[in-house]
């Protein structure tokens, strides 16, 4: 076989192989095989104009058969083009030179897929004629952000994550600490396509290392800072296209130190169940606990700091059921030396106790002891009661002994320790039909 004939045969087989290879590949809604078999095709070149497509490219060519609407591929293109901190707006026709080629202001714009756009917005679906080639560019609107500003607080330290280039050119994620001052942005979140973003005390998208979030504020119509009472922030309905940085502001007030914030009745329940863990609790407001179920009275030590800030916790119930021989119970247990409870009122507490037959126990209302070094400062305990009903004849309470004249009721409020920092009034003991009331003597 002659060399020329051999080359021709080889080329034919190569063409067949290439066509077979791409027969199943699609461009737009058509396979290569379908398009090559139909010379009447058209295509659109899409420029991301500052963004990228899903494959991180800035230019995308989509082929269509002639006279076929492009609406399906148009929807797919819209979903595939993205730009950080921007929202896709619409497609506009690209400015063309006298030779019909796209116009770019700089070579950098050409490389970035950012052509000069006309003021003609594209109306879809399009139906192109045979051999027609369109050039379209994306337009963008600034994405609204929810920005969190530091307000009425000392400087705080936040932890931020950043991407850095490693020794071998790889991307590595590093953390570093940044100081944020009064009036500066702590962090921000994009609204994207949603109309509102949730705001809660647990979703501040920044790690603050030396302080605790106390309160959110917003500006009212009179430009005054007022506490934020909602659960979400809405994006403005009117968009200013000339605003280079559109955002909605929330202002964050922090307090120094790491605290467990107590804002709700549920938080009170959690605090009480963890009083022995050494945690620091910060009461933010008056809290009514009437919706809480009864909590189990303390049999052991507590070790905590409670900063009441002048607030009142009220209407919490407690219980100790069928307690056994040799045990001791009270609402606040044994207050150890590292415990501090300050500036708080406990109101309308009710503690109900029942004993096993034959049990000899100790039962107090407020506390069954306080170690030297513990602090009670401006603590008030009012209108509360200890109820011990249906006491078995074989059971006894060591600190409330029974004599022929009834129960001796001097020692049921608290045990040993210095309780000078505790103010109290109208505290009631009800035991086996007998009542005693205690008020602090001035």
């Amino acid at each position: 076989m002659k060399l020329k004939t051999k080359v021709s045969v080889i080329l034919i087989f190569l063409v067949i192989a290439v066509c077979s290879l791409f027969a199943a590949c699609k461009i737009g809604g058509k396979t290569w095989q379908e398009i090559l078999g139909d010379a009447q095709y058209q295509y659109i070149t899409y420029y991301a104009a500052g963004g990228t497509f899903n494959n991180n490219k800035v230019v995308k060519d989509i082929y269509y058969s002639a006279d076929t609407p492009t609406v399906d591929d148009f929807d797919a293109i819209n979903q595939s083009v993205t730009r950080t901190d921007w929202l896709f707006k619409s497609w506009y026709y690209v400015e063309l030179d006298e030779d019909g080629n796209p116009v770019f202001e700089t070579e950098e714009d050409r490389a970035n897929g950012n052509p000069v756009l006309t003021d003609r917005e594209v109306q879809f679906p399009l139906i192109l004629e045979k051999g027609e080639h369109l050039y379209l560019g994306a337009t963008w609107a600034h994405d609204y952000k929810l920005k969190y500003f530091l307000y009425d607080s000392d400087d705080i330290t936040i932890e931020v994550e950043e991407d850095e280039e490693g020794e071998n050119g790889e991307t590595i994620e590093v953390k570093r600490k940044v100081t944020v001052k009064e009036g500066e942005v702590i962090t921000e979140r994009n609204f994207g396509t949603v109309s509102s973003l949730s705001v809660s005390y647990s979703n501040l998208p920044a790690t603050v290392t030396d302080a605790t979030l106390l309160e959110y504020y917003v500006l009212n119509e009179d430009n005054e800072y007022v506490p934020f009472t909602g659960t979400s922030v809405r994006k403005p309905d009117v968009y200013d296209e000339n605003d280079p940085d559109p955002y909605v502001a929330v202002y964050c007030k922090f307090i120094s130190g790491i605290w467990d914030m107590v804002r709700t009745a549920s938080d009170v329940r959690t605090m009480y169940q963890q009083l022995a863990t050494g945690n620091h609790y910060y009461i933010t407001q008056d809290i009514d606990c009437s919706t809480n179920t009864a909590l189990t009275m303390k049999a052991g030590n507590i070790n905590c700091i409670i900063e009441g800030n002048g607030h009142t916790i009220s209407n919490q119930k407690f219980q100790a059921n069928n307690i056994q021989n040799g045990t001791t119970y009270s609402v606040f247990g044994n207050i150890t030396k590292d415990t501090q409870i300050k500036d708080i009122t406990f109101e309308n507490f009710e503690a109900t106790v029942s004993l096993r037959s034959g049990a000899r126990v100790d039962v107090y209302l407020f506390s069954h002891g306080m170690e030297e070094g513990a602090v009670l400062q401006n603590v008030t305990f009012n209108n509360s009661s200890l109820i011990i009903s249906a006491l078995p004849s074989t059971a006894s309470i060591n600190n409330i002994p029974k004599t022929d004249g009834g129960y001796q009721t001097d020692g049921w409020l608290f045990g040993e320790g210095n309780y000078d920092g505790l103010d109290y009034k109208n505290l009631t003991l009800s035991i086996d039909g007998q009542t005693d009331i205690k008020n602090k003597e001035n």
Side-chain angles (χ1 to χ4, degrees):
M1 186 181 292
K2 294 182 180 180
L3 177 60
K4 184 176 181 180
T5 303
K6 289 184 179 179
V7 170
S8 299
V9 172
I10 291 171
L11 288 176
I12 290 171
F13 279 107
L14 283 174
V15 170
I16 293 172
V18 169
C19 290
S20 299
L21 178 63
F22 288 101
C25 296
K26 287 192 174 185
I27 299 183
K30 304 280 286 181
T31 66
W32 271 105
Q33 186 181 49
E34 291 169 330
I35 291 173
L36 292 175
D38 177 6
Q40 299 185 37
Y41 69 87
Q42 59 205 5
Y43 68 101
I44 300 176
T45 297
Y46 292 90
Y47 291 96
T52 58
F53 295 99
N54 285 344
N55 58 2
N56 292 323
K57 302 296 185 180
V58 296
V59 182
K60 192 177 187 73
D61 289 326
I62 302 293
Y63 290 76
Y64 308 92
S65 293
D67 302 324
T68 300
T70 63
V71 63
D72 292 340
D73 294 290
F74 164 66
D75 291 339
I77 287 289
N78 287 356
Q79 295 170 11
S80 71
V81 65
T82 58
R83 183 179 179 184
T84 303
D85 294 335
W86 295 75
L87 295 177
F88 173 76
K89 188 177 177 183
S90 59
W91 297 100
Y92 276 71
Y93 289 98
V94 172
E95 187 77 41
L96 302 178
D97 62 20
E98 58 185 13
D99 296 322
N101 297 316
V103 175
F104 298 90
E105 290 187 349
T106 66
E107 287 303 314
E108 183 179 0
D109 284 338
R110 185 186 301 276
N112 292 331
N114 193 16
V116 176
L117 303 181
T118 69
D119 58 1
R120 294 173 55 217
E121 184 176 0
V122 180
Q123 301 299 320
F124 286 88
L126 292 171
I127 298 179
L128 282 68
E129 297 179 358
K130 175 183 175 181
E132 190 171 4
H133 182 186
L134 293 184
Y135 300 90
L136 309 181
T139 56
W140 303 91
H142 283 281
D143 189 5
Y144 253 96
K145 295 179 181 178
L146 173 57
K147 291 191 176 184
Y148 296 83
F149 291 86
L150 183 62
Y151 165 71
D152 192 24
S153 307
D154 295 333
D155 296 351
I156 61 171
T157 301
I158 65 172
E159 233 178 47
V160 298
E161 294 183 355
E162 291 185 340
D163 289 338
E164 290 188 359
E165 187 175 330
E167 294 182 358
N168 299 319
E170 74 278 15
T171 299
I172 57 175
E173 190 177 85
V174 297
K175 291 183 178 181
R176 63 185 182 89
K177 293 184 177 181
V178 178
T179 299
V180 178
K181 300 182 179 296
E182 173 80 16
E184 294 180 347
V185 175
I186 301 169
T187 187
E188 58 189 36
R189 302 160 63 192
N190 286 345
F191 275 92
T193 58
V194 301
S195 60
S196 64
L197 290 174
S198 62
V199 175
S200 70
Y201 293 105
S202 61
N203 74 351
L204 181 71
T207 302
V208 181
T209 59
D210 55 357
T212 304
L213 177 63
L214 174 62
E215 186 71 274
Y216 287 119
Y217 291 85
V218 292
L219 286 173
N220 64 11
E221 295 178 353
D222 298 322
N223 212 35
E224 300 170 329
Y225 292 96
V226 296
F228 176 72
T229 57
T231 58
S232 62
V233 171
R234 287 191 59 82
K235 179 168 56 177
D237 295 329
V238 179
Y239 181 79
D240 183 1
E241 293 189 3
N242 297 319
D243 189 345
D245 186 23
Y247 66 87
V248 181
V250 169
Y251 301 89
C252 306
K253 184 174 183 177
F254 284 80
I255 57 172
S256 179
I258 305 302
W259 296 84
D260 289 325
M261 291 293 169
V262 182
R263 310 177 192 276
T264 66
S266 178
D267 293 338
V268 172
R269 166 179 285 278
T270 300
M271 175 184 74
Y272 187 78
Q273 292 170 336
Q274 298 178 356
L275 287 180
T277 60
N279 290 359
H280 296 189
Y281 298 98
Y282 196 97
I283 315 299
T284 66
Q285 59 189 343
D286 295 346
I287 302 173
D288 181 356
C289 296
S290 56
T291 59
N292 278 351
T293 56
L295 294 167
T296 301
M297 296 171 68
K298 297 295 182 185
N301 296 335
I302 69 168
N303 172 26
C304 63
I305 292 178
I306 300 177
E307 183 59 64
N309 300 294
H311 295 299
T312 298
I313 296 178
S314 59
N315 301 315
Q316 177 62 57
K317 295 183 182 297
F318 301 85
Q319 62 185 16
N321 295 326
N322 199 28
I323 60 178
Q324 61 186 359
N325 186 55
T327 55
T328 302
Y329 281 88
S330 62
V331 168
F332 287 102
N334 183 57
I335 301 174
T336 60
K337 61 182 180 63
D338 295 321
T339 299
Q340 298 180 26
I341 306 176
K342 298 180 179 180
D343 302 318
I344 190 168
T345 297
F346 301 106
E347 185 89 11
N348 295 330
F349 279 21
E350 180 183 281
T352 304
V353 174
S354 64
L355 279 66
R356 291 183 182 180
S357 296
R360 295 180 60 83
V361 301
D362 291 88
V363 179
Y364 300 84
L365 176 55
F366 185 77
S367 161
H368 53 266
M370 187 167 73
E371 297 178 358
E372 185 177 353
V375 175
L376 295 182
Q377 180 178 307
N378 297 326
V379 177
T380 303
F381 197 47
N382 291 338
N383 305 318
S384 298
S385 58
L386 173 62
I387 301 170
I388 306 172
S389 58
L391 187 66
S393 58
T394 57
S396 62
I397 303 175
N398 298 327
N399 57 304
I400 314 176
K402 189 175 183 180
T403 64
D404 292 341
Y407 291 96
Q408 303 299 308
T409 58
D410 289 338
W412 59 270
L413 183 54
F414 43 71
E416 295 184 359
N418 183 0
Y419 288 87
D420 290 344
L422 176 66
D423 193 15
Y424 56 89
K425 64 180 180 182
N426 197 31
L427 302 181
T428 302
L429 168 68
S430 296
I431 177 171
D432 216 14
Q434 183 177 329
T435 299
D436 185 38
I437 297 177
K438 296 294 184 185
N439 291 288
K440 186 171 184 178
E441 297 180 2
N442 295 327

